[in-house]
Amino acid sequence: MVTPARRTHAAAALPPRKPLYLLASTPARMDAGPDHLVLRRDQGAPLRFPLARLCRIVCNRHVAWSGQALALCLEHGVPITWVDGRGHALGCTQGHQDEALPFATLLETYLELPDWPARFANWRARRRLETLTTTAQRAARAGREFDPIAFSELKRELVYNGTHPLVFPEQGQAWCEAIAIDRLQHQGLQACYWGFGASRLALGVELGALLWAELNLECGALPAGVAPGQSVARLFEAWAHEHEGRLLLHLGDLERHLAREVEAWQ
């Protein structure tokens, strides 16, 4: 029996989906096999394209599509966009997608966007603000409300600059990143990805930084008050256990962000 965890790891091990551009100036015909497209040209051997490897297709008027090929793309959720001689979109096909794309596939497709760093920076700023707001609300419930002026300063520094007070011992930053990488592995995701133009997304570092900010905002003077013989690591693990759901919230919001951006792009 194949467990969900094994399916997740198997999906993560597959090569990333890629776009297919059919912009040749000579006539060709697209037919279908059981699980792949077959491009037939006047000269040369037929070319086969497995649907499992394709995320989208851009095609000009020189390719004639069979009904079977169109139906196969609709069935597998691979959208086709037709372009004119100047590269302007004429229209597209998009089938009903009953199942969401795997997280790893969403990431790989998202990173093909030339402006993905700016899009990701906007998402990161929103998560920083959510982290600060959640921490302030938790403090208020415990009777330790943030000073309004201090909150405004924290908001400006954390949301836009990514800086915050450093209260917890510095090794805690690596521990936060280690938790993030462990969770990514359980999700079948990598700690680092490469995007358009060899741009780098250090996903483990980014998620760990959100935890690190929350730890420092919330722990206050706890490290200084550690009793003799009580390890800082034990204190950290207790905090991490209490806040283990926070990383899942960040990942869930990231997956939603990726799905929206990829859908709008396609």
Side-chain angles (χ1 to χ4, degrees):
M1 179 179 178
V2 179
T3 65
R6 288 182 179 177
R7 283 196 296 268
T8 300
H9 287 295
L14 291 175
R17 290 175 176 245
K18 298 293 184 180
L20 174 61
Y21 293 88
L22 302 172
L23 306 176
S25 58
T26 56
R29 175 178 173 80
M30 187 67 80
D31 292 318
D35 58 357
H36 60 274
L37 298 174
V38 182
L39 182 65
R40 306 184 189 278
R41 302 166 295 178
D42 292 338
Q43 297 181 347
L47 299 177
R48 289 173 170 77
F49 304 98
L51 264 296
R53 294 293 309 279
L54 300 179
C55 60
R56 66 186 182 281
I57 299 172
V58 178
C59 178
N60 63 18
R61 294 173 174 174
H62 292 290
V63 179
W65 287 75
S66 69
Q68 291 89 342
L70 289 172
L72 190 66
C73 288
L74 291 171
E75 179 183 352
H76 285 261
V78 177
I80 309 168
T81 299
W82 279 271
V83 297
D84 61 19
R86 293 176 295 176
H88 298 157
L90 296 170
C92 67
T93 63
Q94 187 173 17
H96 295 291
Q97 189 167 297
D98 297 325
E99 296 183 2
L101 290 174
F103 205 152
T105 302
L106 285 172
L107 262 172
E108 295 284 359
T109 307
Y110 177 83
L111 291 173
E112 292 178 9
L113 290 164
D115 63 339
W116 79 260
R119 297 175 188 237
F120 184 82
N122 290 334
W123 174 84
R124 180 177 55 199
R126 291 195 299 271
R127 296 315 296 173
R128 287 171 175 170
L129 178 59
E130 188 275 343
T131 295
L132 178 58
T133 302
T134 298
T135 303
Q137 291 172 344
R138 195 181 295 125
R141 289 194 296 268
R144 302 188 307 272
E145 292 193 27
F146 280 34
D147 177 77
I149 297 178
F151 182 85
S152 296
E153 180 66 20
L154 277 172
K155 179 179 177 181
R156 180 168 56 253
E157 291 300 318
L158 177 60
V159 175
Y160 300 108
N161 300 323
T163 58
H164 51 79
L166 298 177
V167 180
F168 202 87
E170 60 181 355
Q171 62 263 41
Q173 184 169 7
W175 296 345
C176 287
E177 185 176 332
I179 290 177
I181 292 174
D182 179 60
R183 173 49 57 184
L184 289 175
Q185 181 168 318
H186 279 83
Q187 296 282 118
L189 301 173
Q190 301 174 33
C192 179
Y193 288 86
W194 293 95
F196 182 88
S199 49
R200 183 172 181 263
L201 172 59
L203 190 56
V205 173
E206 295 287 359
L207 293 171
L210 290 172
L211 291 180
W212 177 233
E214 187 164 349
L215 173 61
N216 279 279
L217 290 171
E218 190 171 67
C219 72
L222 284 177
V226 175
Q230 182 181 8
S231 70
V232 176
R234 182 177 299 177
L235 180 65
F236 172 81
E237 288 298 326
W239 180 90
H241 178 73
E242 184 180 346
H243 295 76
E244 59 184 358
R246 295 291 296 154
L247 190 54
L248 293 175
L249 287 175
H250 292 315
L251 280 169
D253 191 77
L254 175 60
E255 188 171 13
R256 181 168 55 249
H257 166 73
L258 297 176
R260 288 174 176 172
E261 296 297 307
V262 168
E263 182 181 34
W265 183 38
Q266 291 181 342

